[in-house]
Amino acid sequence: MSKLIGVFGGTFDPVHNGHTKIILNLLQLISFDEIKVIPNGVPPHRASIGSNNDRLKMVYLAFQGINQISIDEREIHRKGPSYAIHTAREILNEFREDRIVWIMGSDAFSEIDSWFEWEEFIDLVNILVMARPGSKIDTTSKAQSLIKDRQVADIGLLEEGAGNILIVDIDPVNISSTQVRKNIGCGEGVGDLILEDVSDYIEAGKLYTKNI
Ligand code: ATP
């Protein structure tokens, strides 16, 4: 029987409670067999942000213990830019019988038409968009016209075909990595924003102390 596989990519710099909460909420709403969390690779010269290794380790800490989650390291280890379309093609080749759903926040979806080979990408997978506080999709944007043409209302349709867009209404969580980095840079607490294990990791490595 074919499986329903979610893909949740991001920079996770660092991973925060918004990431984990929305995924836990989604798992209550939709019976994913698996959600692959895929941290992207970032160029080494971006020294002011967490290294590939640190971001990956924090992602493992944050999602540990959630059964349906697997951490997928392919983009971290792949040379060159982490383009979603390359990852999608690879995963589709590996899981030929299964349905792939790309999971993203409304801020990421708003900019979908800037993604590398985005037109091919949106035909390859189904996309699930979660509302994010402060990120309404502009009514004149390409993203909005894609919603008009491709939005489906039925979660069940995610299990069929590709090229559909589902907007899910889950409790919005007003947390961003930018906020976390800012707080740490200013010496403010991050208690409610990230998990304790992630916070301990950041503290031990003195990460983000220069990011204001
Ligand atoms: P930054 O503040 O550095 O831009 P971020 O908080 O957006 O980071 P990312 O790792 O870039 O975190 O996000 C990965 C994915 O998770 C994206 O699709 C993004 O839209 C989504 N996402 C992150 N935080 C939230 C949130 N609070 N609510 C809904 N979606 C979110």
Side-chain angles (χ1 to χ4, degrees):
M1 216 177 93
S2 77
K3 291 193 287 182
L4 186 63
I5 300 181
V7 173
F8 185 47
T11 309
F12 303 114
D13 192 23
V15 61
H16 54 68
N17 287 346
H19 296 125
T20 43
K21 275 188 186 152
I22 54 174
I23 291 301
L24 284 169
N25 288 343
L26 263 190
L27 284 168
Q28 300 219 326
L29 199 69
I30 300 174
S31 316
F32 282 105
D33 293 288
E34 180 186 347
I35 295 183
K36 292 178 179 297
V37 176
I38 312 191
N40 57 32
V42 297
H45 60 266
R46 287 179 64 188
S48 62
I49 62 168
S51 68
N52 283 353
N53 183 44
D54 285 334
R55 290 181 301 108
L56 182 62
K57 286 210 170 120
M58 291 187 280
V59 163
Y60 273 107
L61 290 172
F63 287 101
Q64 66 191 340
I66 309 177
N67 277 340
Q68 296 93 329
I69 296 291
S70 64
I71 311 299
D72 186 313
E73 301 187 9
R74 74 183 68 220
E75 291 191 356
I76 291 275
H77 301 303
R78 191 195 293 148
K79 295 251 179 318
S82 297
Y83 292 129
I85 187 147
H86 293 159
T87 304
R89 285 194 185 122
E90 279 179 19
I91 293 178
L92 283 163
N93 263 330
E94 290 160 28
F95 297 87
R96 285 171 189 273
E97 304 299 313
D98 301 326
R99 291 283 156 231
I100 309 295
V101 179
W102 224 262
I103 300 167
M104 63 183 83
S106 49
D107 59 315
F109 185 69
S110 291
E111 296 177 352
I112 192 85
D113 57 328
S114 67
W115 290 25
F116 181 67
E117 294 182 0
W118 67 275
E119 281 159 306
E120 289 86 346
F121 175 75
I122 59 172
D123 283 338
L124 273 188
V125 296
N126 285 320
I127 295 178
L128 186 155
V129 183
M130 293 161 299
R132 190 166 181 186
S135 296
K136 273 217 149 139
I137 297 167
D138 196 323
T139 48
T140 58
S141 63
K142 183 75 201 168
Q144 189 61 254
S145 75
L146 288 173
I147 290 172
K148 198 167 147 268
D149 293 343
R150 294 170 179 245
Q151 184 174 11
V152 293
D154 180 1
I155 287 174
L157 285 172
L158 289 182
E159 305 209 27
E160 287 172 26
N164 300 312
I165 298 170
L166 180 81
I167 311 222
V168 292
D169 197 13
I170 54 167
D171 279 349
V173 188
N174 195 10
I175 303 176
S176 68
S177 300
T178 304
Q179 182 69 49
V180 175
R181 293 194 301 271
K182 249 190 199 156
N183 281 22
I184 296 171
C186 302
E188 284 173 26
V190 285
D192 295 339
L193 308 180
I194 54 177
L195 288 173
E196 202 176 327
D197 284 349
V198 175
S199 167
D200 290 347
Y201 186 93
I202 290 175
E203 236 179 272
K206 298 192 170 46
L207 306 182
Y208 307 112
T209 47
K210 295 189 191 96
N211 291 279
I212 300 188

